[in-house]
Amino acid sequence: MTDLRSMLATTGPIDLSTRPSDDTPGFEGAKKDARRLLPGIGDALMDSQELLFANGRAGTTERKVLILLQGMDTSGKGGTLRHVAGLVDPQGLKITAFKAPTEEERQHDFLWRIRRQLPESGMIGVFDRSQYEDVLIGRVRQLVPADEIERRYDEINAFEREFVDGGGVMLKCFLHISADDQKERLAERLEDQTKYWKYNTGDLDERALWPQYQQAYEIALERCSTEHAPWYVVPAGRKWYRNWAIATMLGETLDGLGLDWPAADFDVEEQKRRLATM
């Protein structure tokens, strides 16, 4: 694990109230510096992603990457998709946004719909919300019995182990904001006509349960941050830092795959000779 991932990875008990949402670990510059650096990070990401995608198409790797984005409303899951996922080639990217389960999905185990959206070899997958909704909302809203929630933590860990053993890498990012951050962002949406579409009246109902959600996240982060699939707590009070941090960690992840360009499955010199005569 390289520098920024080491800084943001969490293990053991965690108290989110002690973590400043406007912190910028690993970055010593200012907002303008992060924005200036992002295009260069994007160029490197594009090259690394192409290498992964090429190996996937050639059938020479089982490696794939899955980015999980979790966080309270307004934490920036959509913004991360625009500013980070937008840096890479869409043909090698699969984005899935999980909403409330459909009637069909309710007929299956809670991981059924998650498994169906996992990235294939050579791909980068992004989950806007994920399997963790089933131990967050499920716990806070008491939608399932407590013993079922406990069982789900173990199922999630086993599921993630299976994905990693099959060549996957998980980049699980909790976008950490404070209650004040959320209040400010919700207020901005109510003052800007162009942001009304982002506003959901149900957000205030969930906000009323802020302490319960923070506790549910702390438990999930503790129970499901493992050596094979650690959680990264990304301070998201500063949007520019959030974008820089996740882009940087994605670059570290791709570079750590250790891939080379797939060899040609044809006679290169013969193809050159044929081309020269045409």
Side-chain angles (χ1 to χ4, degrees):
M1 190 183 295
T2 47
D3 279 349
L4 189 59
R5 287 179 294 170
S6 296
M7 291 180 186
L8 299 182
T10 182
T11 57
I14 181 171
D15 181 355
L16 292 173
S17 68
T18 65
R19 300 205 175 200
S21 64
D22 61 352
D23 199 6
T24 59
F27 192 84
E28 297 181 356
K31 179 178 181 179
K32 62 180 181 179
D33 300 308
R35 287 184 167 178
R36 175 177 54 81
L37 291 171
L38 206 56
I41 296 174
D43 290 341
L45 282 178
M46 191 76 75
D47 291 341
S48 297
Q49 183 207 19
E50 185 179 11
L51 181 58
L52 173 63
F53 186 70
N55 276 276
R57 289 289 294 270
T60 54
T61 188
E62 293 185 342
R63 305 315 300 270
K64 53 257 187 184
V65 175
L66 177 59
I67 306 170
L68 269 66
L69 301 176
Q70 286 284 163
M72 296 293 287
D73 295 322
T74 77
S75 61
K77 295 179 291 293
T80 301
L81 288 174
R82 288 192 300 275
H83 292 96
V84 178
L87 295 173
V88 299
D89 189 336
Q91 73 172 336
L93 189 67
K94 180 180 182 180
I95 298 174
T96 307
F98 289 100
K99 306 297 184 183
T102 65
E103 187 58 38
E104 179 187 18
E105 289 168 346
R106 290 191 184 96
Q107 303 304 313
H108 296 271
D109 178 83
F110 78 101
L111 289 172
W112 181 78
R113 65 174 183 160
I114 307 296
R115 291 182 186 278
R116 288 161 58 89
Q117 301 301 331
L118 289 173
E120 298 177 354
S121 297
M123 297 289 290
I124 297 174
V126 184
F127 283 179
D128 178 347
R129 303 185 187 275
S130 66
Q131 63 269 21
Y132 286 93
E133 292 297 290
D134 293 283
V135 293
L136 295 167
I137 296 176
R139 172 181 284 275
V140 173
R141 292 291 184 178
Q142 299 181 342
L143 301 178
V144 293
D147 59 346
E148 170 65 12
I149 294 293
E150 290 300 314
R151 185 180 66 82
R152 288 181 178 182
Y153 295 124
D154 293 333
E155 286 199 29
I156 287 172
N157 286 337
F159 161 72
E160 294 178 356
R161 175 84 260 182
E162 178 186 338
F163 178 75
V164 171
D165 287 346
V169 179
M170 282 196 173
L171 194 61
K172 302 190 301 189
C173 301
F174 171 63
L175 309 183
H176 175 47
I177 59 171
S178 68
D180 288 342
D181 292 329
Q182 187 188 66
K183 185 173 184 177
E184 179 180 338
R185 292 176 184 183
L186 289 173
E188 288 175 355
R189 292 179 181 182
L190 290 172
E191 293 295 332
D192 185 347
Q193 183 179 1
T194 67
K195 294 184 178 179
Y196 288 169
W197 66 274
K198 290 185 175 182
Y199 192 85
N200 185 331
T201 56
D203 289 348
L204 294 187
D205 296 328
E206 298 303 299
R207 176 175 169 79
L209 298 170
W210 183 275
Q212 293 92 320
Y213 271 108
Q214 294 301 284
Q215 182 185 47
Y217 267 113
E218 289 169 353
I219 294 170
L221 292 171
E222 177 182 349
R223 295 285 299 275
C224 298
S225 190
T226 59
E227 183 178 354
H228 58 272
W231 267 107
Y232 303 98
V233 178
V234 181
R238 301 177 192 264
K239 298 175 184 178
W240 58 266
Y241 174 80
R242 175 201 70 205
N243 297 337
W244 173 84
I246 296 178
T248 298
M249 289 196 296
L250 176 57
E252 292 175 351
T253 300
L254 291 172
D255 290 344
L257 296 179
L259 298 175
D260 291 317
W261 291 103
D265 58 357
F266 52 88
D267 187 324
V268 176
E269 295 305 319
E270 178 188 7
Q271 293 302 306
K272 287 181 179 180
R273 289 192 296 271
R274 286 189 62 193
L275 180 60
T277 63
M278 292 182 176

